[in-house]
Amino acid sequence: MSTKFSLRDRSPINTSWVWKKKLPRFLAGACIVGTFFVFLTPHLAHRANSQSQKQEIIQAVESQNITITAHVGCEPDYDILERLGVKKVSQYVRREVVAVPSSSKVPLIQTLDTPLFDHTSQERGNLAEILQDDCSIPSSISLKVSPPPTYVDASHFDFGVATNIDRLSESLDAFVHWAGHTRTRIFALVEPDKRIPEVLAKAEKLGVNLTVTESEDEYQTRYFSLISHLADNLREETRWSCIIDDDTFFPSMSALIEAFERYDHTQQMYIGGVSESVAQIGLFGLMGFGGAGVFLSRPLVEQLSKPEVFEACQQSEHTGDRRISLCVYQYSDAFFTNDHRLRQLDFRGDATGFFEAIRPLPLSVHHWKSWFHADMAKMSKVAEICGETCLLGKWRFADGWTLTNGFSISKYSTEISTNDTSMELTWDGDHHASREAFMHELGPLREKDPGKIAYLMVDSVVDEDSVRQWYIHRNAEQGDQIMELIWRRQ
């Protein structure tokens, strides 16, 4: 009992003695705790703030079923990601490109001493860091481009297409690149449809000179009827009449005009491009394949549209462009002239080898939304800033990446010389077509690079005085890597 009492009953003398003994230790402890809060509190607040922002972003993303990994050091636009079909992002980089017009024509590929990707920007994204509002690399890139033509007058070219109203309306977005405000004319033969006025209004708004004629004939009859239809609409300045498919695309109208200056339009001329596949030529013969564009000079159109010639050819058992070729061979003095830059593109699957090759811009491309996918309408939007001649222009950067404007950003596993004009064989051919089957039109060829890394352009929009492009390297497991290029004029 006395022991318990003595522990409780502490006199003033005992309390004073205890504090004198413990005071130094108390002050030392207080200093340590104070120092701890002084130095650690900002870090904890910083981390809490970062974690809070990260959590807010994760919550925002989860609502749209999009995952942003820790490697992304900025906050992308989630509406854009959704439009691009992105579900998971492991990299997002934005960079401004300034198009600098050159006083002369630029080479097919240009080399630069600056990297395309700023590697320091890719190292951001630690969870303890505050997320940035902007994904941009601070420095812009200046790229030289050939001087674009000030005005293109293609009034001496007429084009004919047989299709339906849905496909015609869809094709206008691509037609505007080469036919818009160029004074060329497009004549379409379509099945009867009440929506024709809507399509004509759309064409007028886009600056495409379109005439639509209804026809109840079946497709093959309508296709060959384009010859007489074009002949009936010849005007004084018409030199060339061209029959196309609704997915025929001309990357540069000025280049097409320049190419045809070397042909004599006063003679009967039959000009086109053969298939790139020997197997296709074996099936359909040596002729101008329609997707590449079948060009007939004015004298030849007048000859083939003579009633007795036209009716005889229209009764042929052959179809499409083969019917045209046999009619030319049987009833005119013309022989086929193969222009190797008019491209049918008879291959399937991966077309990157064709578009990334260091070759002159093709005069036409075909099958870009069927046999393979390369959205020419979106690809060509960059011409709003740097002109049609910069489409598919190529620049090699110091970090090994090559930009093929409007199509891809790629890095090969082995270095490819800028003097190497070979084409990577990335596609598949019909009817067991081998490498040799494509060499007559596309050689020299090289084997596919399995180690190549490629960002493919998936979208492009005109945004006031700029054009925005999105290139994506898809990886469903680790997350998509995205490079956004914003093109501006100098």
Side-chain angles (χ1 to χ4, degrees), residues 162-173 175 188-196 198-199 202 212 222 246 369:
T163 183
N164 61 51
I165 202 65
D166 288 321
R167 291 179 64 94
L168 179 61
S169 179
E170 179 185 324
S171 298
L172 287 176
D173 293 331
F175 286 177
L189 293 181
V190 303
E191 301 162 351
D193 197 296
K194 62 181 180 181
R195 295 169 293 171
I196 289 176
E198 298 175 15
V199 174
K202 178 181 178 180
V212 178
R222 274 188 288 131
D246 54 28
K369 53 183 178 180

Side-chain angles (χ1 to χ4, degrees), residues 44-249:
L44 291 174
H46 173 87
R47 182 171 183 178
N49 188 30
S50 176
Q51 292 283 17
S52 175
Q53 291 189 31
K54 187 71 176 180
Q55 186 62 34
E56 290 175 1
I57 290 174
I58 291 174
Q59 291 174 355
V61 173
E62 285 179 346
S63 66
Q64 300 184 52
N65 298 318
I66 299 174
T67 301
I68 306 296
T69 70
H71 298 290
V72 180
C74 62
E75 184 175 355
D77 186 319
Y78 304 116
D79 290 335
I80 289 177
L81 295 180
E82 188 173 17
R83 191 181 76 234
L84 298 176
V86 174
K87 298 299 182 183
K88 184 178 182 180
V89 185
S90 62
Q91 172 192 283
Y92 197 108
V93 181
R94 179 187 297 116
R95 193 154 201 186
E96 183 180 74
V97 178
V98 180
V100 181
S102 173
S103 58
S104 59
K105 188 176 181 179
V106 300
L108 294 177
I109 185 169
Q110 302 175 61
T111 56
L112 297 93
D113 57 5
T114 183
L116 176 61
F117 289 90
D118 184 341
H119 296 292
T120 59
S121 70
Q122 298 181 63
E123 295 171 359
R124 297 182 302 174
N126 190 306
L127 288 176
E129 295 180 353
I130 298 177
L131 293 176
Q132 306 298 310
D133 292 331
D134 193 354
C135 304
S136 299
I137 295 175
S139 59
S140 61
I141 309 170
S142 295
L143 300 181
K144 288 185 177 181
V145 297
S146 295
T150 54
Y151 175 68
V152 177
D153 183 357
S155 57
H156 53 302
F157 282 85
D158 287 336
F159 295 87
V161 59
T163 183
N164 61 51
I165 202 65
D166 288 321
R167 291 179 64 94
L168 179 61
S169 179
E170 179 185 324
S171 298
L172 287 176
D173 293 331
F175 286 177
V176 67
H177 171 75
W178 53 271
H181 305 287
T182 63
R183 297 189 64 212
T184 192
R185 300 182 297 172
I186 300 177
F187 296 91
L189 293 181
V190 303
E191 301 162 351
D193 197 296
K194 62 181 180 181
R195 295 169 293 171
I196 289 176
E198 298 175 15
V199 174
L200 289 172
K202 178 181 178 180
E204 183 178 9
K205 184 177 180 180
L206 293 173
V208 176
N209 190 343
L210 174 67
T211 299
V212 178
T213 302
E214 295 178 301
S215 172
E216 295 184 350
D217 292 334
E218 55 86 28
Y219 174 76
Q220 296 298 341
T221 300
R222 274 188 288 131
Y223 186 90
F224 189 78
S225 294
L226 286 169
I227 291 179
S228 61
H229 193 63
L230 289 167
D232 291 340
N233 287 280
L234 290 170
R235 55 183 174 180
E236 183 177 355
E237 57 264 49
T238 303
R239 298 179 183 177
W240 301 99
S241 296
C242 178
I243 297 175
I244 60 174
D245 288 350
D246 54 28
D247 61 344
T248 301
F249 184 87

Side-chain angles (χ1 to χ4, degrees), residues 137-425:
I137 295 175
S139 59
S140 61
I141 309 170
S142 295
L143 300 181
K144 288 185 177 181
V145 297
S146 295
T150 54
Y151 175 68
V152 177
D153 183 357
S155 57
H156 53 302
F157 282 85
D158 287 336
F159 295 87
V161 59
T163 183
N164 61 51
I165 202 65
D166 288 321
R167 291 179 64 94
L168 179 61
S169 179
E170 179 185 324
S171 298
L172 287 176
D173 293 331
F175 286 177
V176 67
H177 171 75
W178 53 271
H181 305 287
T182 63
R183 297 189 64 212
T184 192
R185 300 182 297 172
I186 300 177
F187 296 91
L189 293 181
V190 303
E191 301 162 351
D193 197 296
K194 62 181 180 181
R195 295 169 293 171
I196 289 176
E198 298 175 15
V199 174
L200 289 172
K202 178 181 178 180
E204 183 178 9
K205 184 177 180 180
L206 293 173
V208 176
N209 190 343
L210 174 67
T211 299
V212 178
T213 302
E214 295 178 301
S215 172
E216 295 184 350
D217 292 334
E218 55 86 28
Y219 174 76
Q220 296 298 341
T221 300
R222 274 188 288 131
Y223 186 90
F224 189 78
S225 294
L226 286 169
I227 291 179
S228 61
H229 193 63
L230 289 167
D232 291 340
N233 287 280
L234 290 170
R235 55 183 174 180
E236 183 177 355
E237 57 264 49
T238 303
R239 298 179 183 177
W240 301 99
S241 296
C242 178
I243 297 175
I244 60 174
D245 288 350
D246 54 28
D247 61 344
T248 301
F249 184 87
F250 300 98
S252 170
M253 179 57 84
S254 59
L256 184 69
I257 293 172
E258 181 181 358
F260 272 73
E261 288 298 319
R262 64 190 181 98
Y263 299 124
D264 187 354
H265 64 89
T266 66
Q267 303 299 313
Q268 293 185 10
M269 296 289 296
Y270 169 43
I271 302 169
V274 300
S275 174
E276 294 77 13
S277 171
V278 169
Q280 295 291 327
I281 296 175
L283 285 173
F284 300 105
L286 189 60
M287 63 178 188
F289 280 67
V294 176
F295 290 83
L296 310 173
S297 65
R298 184 186 188 114
L300 183 56
V301 170
E302 292 174 335
Q303 169 64 19
L304 299 184
S305 62
K306 291 179 178 179
E308 64 277 13
V309 174
F310 179 80
E311 291 300 328
C313 295
Q314 186 69 288
Q315 300 305 315
S316 171
E317 62 181 7
H318 299 289
T319 60
D321 39 21
R322 193 177 186 193
R323 184 182 297 182
I324 293 176
S325 69
L326 295 177
C327 189
V328 170
Y329 298 149
Q330 182 67 27
Y331 295 100
S332 78
D333 297 328
F335 295 94
F336 174 63
T337 299
N338 182 21
D339 191 309
H340 298 278
R341 291 173 64 190
L342 294 170
R343 291 300 187 195
Q344 172 74 4
L345 298 189
D346 276 341
F347 47 71
R348 299 181 184 274
D350 182 0
T352 57
F354 174 80
F355 289 101
E356 292 177 353
I358 306 174
R359 307 278 183 92
L361 190 68
L363 294 179
S364 65
V365 297
H366 181 231
H367 283 149
W368 51 273
K369 53 183 178 180
S370 53
W371 289 28
F372 60 90
H373 294 280
D375 195 326
M376 302 306 299
K378 290 181 179 179
M379 286 170 60
S380 63
K381 288 187 183 297
V382 73
E384 294 285 336
I385 296 298
C386 56
E388 59 183 17
T389 54
C390 84
L391 176 60
L392 296 179
K394 295 170 179 63
W395 292 268
R396 184 165 298 171
F397 294 84
D399 50 4
W401 293 95
T402 298
L403 167 65
T404 299
N405 192 12
F407 184 78
S408 70
I409 297 170
S410 59
K411 178 185 281 189
Y412 291 89
S413 62
T414 57
E415 185 175 354
I416 305 296
S417 169
T418 55
N419 297 320
D420 187 349
T421 61
S422 64
M423 185 178 292
E424 185 186 10
L425 183 56

